[in-house]
Amino acid sequence: MAQYVIEYAEVLVSAGRDPAEQWALLRAQRTLMEAAGVKDDLTWAEFEADHGSPARAVEHAEAEYARNPNVVAADALAWALHRDGRDREALPYARKATATGWRNALFHHHRAEIERSLGRTEESRRSAARARDADPTFSADLPALARFS
């Protein structure tokens, strides 16, 4: 599964090792999935936002959100927009992603980073505190692990 390949690559990076083989495997998986007609815009939005092209991340996230407007897709779109330098557009999606009360550290971290980029210091502190409260062991260096744990 793509998520395991991404998780392992992030662990390699955090250990100071080269994840190039994992990224090559992931790209091959994407090619095979696309050839088989599989739409997995959520995975590719998250991957591109964290490790690739923010512009492509936005394309995938917008497609996913259009098909499935849920909190996970909202977070993916918020983060992709942020990584693409579009924080004003990102904030409403980050708010949607965190509005349900789900204690998801990654979603609150994403919101905190977007708020910080917009100069909303106090809001950013509150969102960062929610991320820590949701998961005191959360690491922004391992977003795939946070996403699926």
Side-chain angles (χ1 to χ4, degrees):
M1 290 181 65
Q3 79 184 50
Y4 300 136
V5 175
I6 297 168
E7 288 173 3
Y8 183 55
E10 288 178 358
V11 169
L12 290 174
V13 169
S14 72
R17 295 179 51 202
D18 183 7
E21 291 179 3
Q22 298 307 308
W23 296 147
L25 174 60
L26 185 66
R27 287 184 186 94
Q29 282 182 318
R30 178 171 26 192
T31 300
L32 289 171
M33 291 172 70
E34 288 173 350
V38 175
K39 287 196 183 298
D40 190 4
D41 285 307
L42 183 61
T43 295
W44 307 124
E46 293 167 343
F47 168 74
E48 293 291 351
D50 289 332
H51 305 290
S53 164
R56 276 185 281 176
V58 171
E59 292 171 12
H60 286 294
E62 287 176 335
E64 181 66 28
Y65 191 80
R67 273 193 314 280
N68 301 302
N70 58 56
V71 296
V72 176
D75 175 68
L77 183 51
W79 192 239
L81 288 165
H82 165 72
R83 299 287 292 185
D84 199 37
R86 298 162 58 182
D87 292 304
R88 290 199 195 299
E89 293 173 70
L91 186 56
Y93 292 102
R95 287 178 175 157
K96 287 179 186 181
T98 58
T100 65
W102 182 14
R103 294 171 39 92
N104 184 303
L106 186 63
F107 290 8
H108 288 290
H109 166 73
H110 287 166
R111 181 172 172 169
E113 290 298 307
I114 292 164
E115 290 165 339
R116 185 185 57 73
S117 291
L118 290 169
R120 297 173 178 252
T121 307
E122 195 53 42
E123 292 173 45
S124 177
R125 282 189 199 132
R126 282 193 301 268
S127 294
R130 288 185 189 112
R132 284 189 304 277
D133 289 346
D135 182 357
T137 65
F138 169 76
S139 170
D141 294 333
L142 300 169
L145 288 173
R147 201 170 269 120
F148 299 111
S149 60

